[in-house]
Amino acid sequence: MAMIPKTRQTAEIAQREDPMTGSILIADNVPTNRIILKVKLSSAFYEVTQATSGAEALARARSERPNLVLLDIDLGDMTGYAACAALKADPLTAHIAVAIITPPRDQEAKIAALKAGADEVLGKPLDAPTLSARVRALMRASATSGELRRRGETVRALGFAEAPATFGRPGRITLVGSTAEEAMGWRVGLRGMIHDEIVIERREKVLRAVHDGAHSDLYVISTRPGTGEGLRLISDLRAREATRHAGIIVVHGQQERREALMALDLGANDLITRGADPEEMALRLRTQMRRKRDADLLRQILDEGLRLVSIDSLTRLYNRRYALAHLEKIAEEARTGGRHFALMLIDIDRFKSVNDTFGHAVGDAVLAEVGQRLRDSLRGMDLVARFGGEEFLVCMPMTSLTEARAAAERLRVTICDRPMTIAPDGTPVTVSVSIGLAMGGGPDRSAIPDLLAVADQALYSAKAEGRNQVTLGSHAA
């Protein structure tokens, strides 16, 4: 067994790193274009594959299920538009994010790409900062879509009804221009192309409206050069429960590219260049409204569809029954895409002494707080479950061994670095955890029961070797 040193530095490094990896399929009939893109994306540690034609791109997308497909406008045997439309029409690939690469400043090509169903349009030439920021934003959207699909499949595997759809509900869009005239111009331009409710709000009044309960599905926010006001508003919207999952589109000037890219990393979903065709804005708004409804459905499945049968009543985490079914879905996708996933068993050290010393009410409070900290420390796509008693399970899809080690150490530190609760006599109650880690996917085709056995043995070793540490299963090292 290989042990991970218990260092706070490891945890701090892990917190700064983005643990998400993903796969990207590049389709272009020009070899040079494919090579340049592959070099740029591989340097950011994405798994990159290539297709030389539209037909090959469609076949690879069906077999590999990448997180993102980048299509050139000319694929030799078909246009990028036709390939995108085919991907979105196929139930096996409809959830995959698609970006079409168009000639520079070609507005007609951009509109055609969005009409074909593209999630993003990238104009040539593709500079590295813009490409990286756009890809990160698309990966976030892909993660939500993929998790929605996996949870829907898990619902069916457990024998329950299809998750309810959310068709026909009109949305609400708030326009926040740099001036009232700019916002008015947007609304006039969108007339007849958007059937959701559109309201105009002054920048300084947006948060007051949210506080009063008047929040929207989408926010269109104009930047002001040099002020940072747009970035602050994005951060404020993302920090509030009511608007944390709202769609955000930033309108920026040609010379405000750096601030626009920062907006993407702060949580904006899309960018529009100031002065763009109203039809482009309308198409992008429709795409973001569709994504918002998908995300709302994902949370509805979590909060309503499976609550009684799959949620542990104490910790509000998934229970063992759901976790085992969902693990099979994650493992199946990892086998199909050739990707890795991490599996952790986490056990509270000496939990019996907590109950014996402070009583079961305090023990329950500790279990609930451990569950909350695990959930808050992981990605939305990660599976967190109470596996039984004081044992928890974490599964992280699309995760390398290096990322898994860092994440496990971060979780260990998160649990033990401050008290879980305060006992009735005023005593702070602090606990530690031992973690057994196993890796699945890639060349290792181990079944879920085998991986659980590896993680369980690693957990046993962590306990035997002193507790409060992370131990890797033998074949994961």
Side-chain angles (χ1 to χ4, degrees):
M1 301 292 176
M3 281 196 300
I4 299 174
K6 295 175 290 188
T7 62
R8 190 171 298 272
Q9 181 182 13
T10 303
E12 290 171 349
I13 291 172
Q15 286 176 324
R16 292 195 298 268
E17 293 178 347
D18 181 0
M20 179 182 295
T21 58
S23 59
I24 300 174
L25 171 62
I26 299 170
D28 195 316
N29 66 339
V30 179
T32 304
N33 293 344
R34 295 197 306 272
I35 292 170
I36 292 173
L37 267 179
K38 182 174 182 178
V39 169
K40 289 180 178 179
L41 295 169
S42 297
S43 66
F45 302 102
Y46 294 110
E47 299 171 20
V48 181
T49 57
Q50 303 177 56
T52 61
S53 67
E56 184 183 358
L58 297 180
R60 281 185 172 274
R62 286 178 62 90
S63 62
E64 298 172 7
R65 312 286 178 83
N67 302 105
L68 171 64
V69 177
L70 293 177
L71 301 172
D72 190 75
I73 199 172
D74 181 7
L75 301 176
D77 59 341
M78 67 178 74
T79 65
Y81 313 135
C84 178
L87 289 169
K88 294 300 183 181
D90 186 340
L92 288 177
T93 57
H95 66 281
I96 298 173
V98 177
I100 295 180
I101 302 171
T102 63
R105 295 179 295 280
D106 190 331
Q107 187 64 26
E108 290 185 5
K110 183 182 292 187
I111 295 297
L114 292 170
K115 284 183 175 179
D119 298 274
E120 186 54 272
V121 184
L122 303 173
K124 296 178 181 178
L126 294 173
D127 64 276
T130 300
L131 179 64
S132 296
R134 290 286 194 175
V135 167
R136 285 194 296 271
L138 288 167
M139 285 295 182
R140 289 196 298 269
S142 174
T144 297
S145 177
E147 182 64 7
L148 173 62
R149 183 171 47 86
R150 280 195 296 272
R151 292 190 184 183
E153 291 172 352
T154 301
V155 170
R156 291 191 291 274
L158 289 171
F160 302 109
E162 260 323 311
T166 54
F167 298 115
R169 179 184 64 83
R172 188 173 191 266
I173 301 171
T174 292
L175 306 180
V176 187
S178 57
T179 63
E181 291 75 16
E182 182 179 39
M184 287 288 292
W186 294 343
R187 185 162 67 179
V188 170
L190 293 170
R191 189 171 296 158
M193 293 189 286
I194 292 293
H195 302 293
D196 301 296
E197 178 189 4
I198 297 179
V199 298
I200 293 176
E201 193 68 79
R202 292 165 54 190
R203 191 183 306 267
E204 60 271 18
K205 299 292 186 180
V206 171
L207 298 180
R208 167 55 63 182
V210 172
H211 180 269
D212 293 341
H215 51 83
S216 294
D217 297 288
L218 301 181
Y219 290 85
V220 181
I221 301 171
S222 180
T223 60
R224 287 177 176 171
T227 66
E229 292 178 356
L231 299 181
R232 285 194 293 273
L233 182 55
I234 293 170
S235 297
D236 284 334
L237 290 172
R238 287 287 178 248
R240 283 160 171 75
E241 182 66 29
T243 53
R244 184 165 298 154
H245 306 292
I248 297 176
I249 297 178
V250 171
V251 180
H252 65 96
Q254 291 282 4
Q255 306 305 316
E256 300 164 31
R257 189 172 64 90
R258 181 174 176 274
E259 184 168 312
L261 298 184
M262 288 176 62
L264 285 177
D265 285 334
L266 283 174
N269 303 94
D270 202 358
L271 304 175
I272 301 178
T273 304
R274 185 169 288 114
D277 191 303
E279 186 176 10
E280 178 187 346
M281 179 177 281
L283 290 166
R284 290 185 181 274
L285 284 170
R286 289 176 200 164
T287 296
Q288 294 305 323
M289 188 63 77
R290 185 186 70 246
R291 289 182 184 172
K292 173 63 165 52
R293 286 172 177 147
D294 285 349
D296 287 346
L297 180 57
L298 173 58
R299 287 184 292 278
Q300 186 177 359
I301 293 172
L302 172 63
D303 295 338
E304 298 175 12
L306 298 173
R307 183 182 300 277
L308 295 179
V309 293
S310 63
I311 301 296
D312 175 64
S313 60
L314 175 62
T315 63
R316 313 310 299 163
L317 299 177
Y318 288 117
N319 60 22
R320 185 186 187 98
R321 180 188 186 193
Y322 178 90
L324 290 173
H326 199 57
L327 281 173
E328 294 293 345
K329 294 297 178 185
I330 293 173
E332 180 182 347
E333 289 203 353
R335 285 191 291 269
T336 302
R339 295 187 284 272
H340 293 87
F341 63 93
L343 184 63
M344 304 177 202
L345 288 179
I346 303 171
D347 191 82
I348 302 175
D349 296 326
R350 299 186 176 90
F351 182 70
K352 183 176 183 299
S353 68
V354 174
N355 283 330
D356 292 345
T357 303
F358 302 107
H360 288 278
V362 171
D364 286 350
V366 169
L367 289 170
E369 179 63 18
V370 168
Q372 184 66 47
R373 292 189 194 182
L374 291 175
R375 184 167 47 232
D376 290 346
S377 301
L378 293 163
R379 304 169 298 183
M381 72 167 70
D382 297 328
L383 171 66
V384 190
R386 185 183 180 190
F387 215 49
E390 64 270 25
E391 188 172 76
F392 297 82
L393 177 143
V394 168
C395 184
M396 301 178 67
M398 295 189 298
T399 300
S400 68
L401 175 57
T402 300
E403 293 163 341
R405 289 165 62 103
E409 177 64 15
R410 184 177 75 247
L411 294 177
R412 186 195 67 78
V413 172
T414 296
I415 298 301
C416 70
D417 69 345
R418 66 184 190 278
M420 287 284 136
T421 187
I422 303 297
D425 64 0
T427 302
V429 181
T430 302
V431 300
S432 64
V433 292
S434 300
I435 302 178
L437 171 63
M439 295 299 298
D444 183 355
R445 302 291 179 173
S446 298
I448 289 298
D450 297 330
L451 289 173
L452 285 170
V454 171
D456 190 59
Q457 182 58 47
L459 175 60
Y460 177 83
S461 297
K463 293 281 191 182
E465 293 166 5
R467 299 181 175 86
N468 192 23
Q469 58 189 281
V470 178
T471 303
L472 294 173
S474 56
H475 82 283

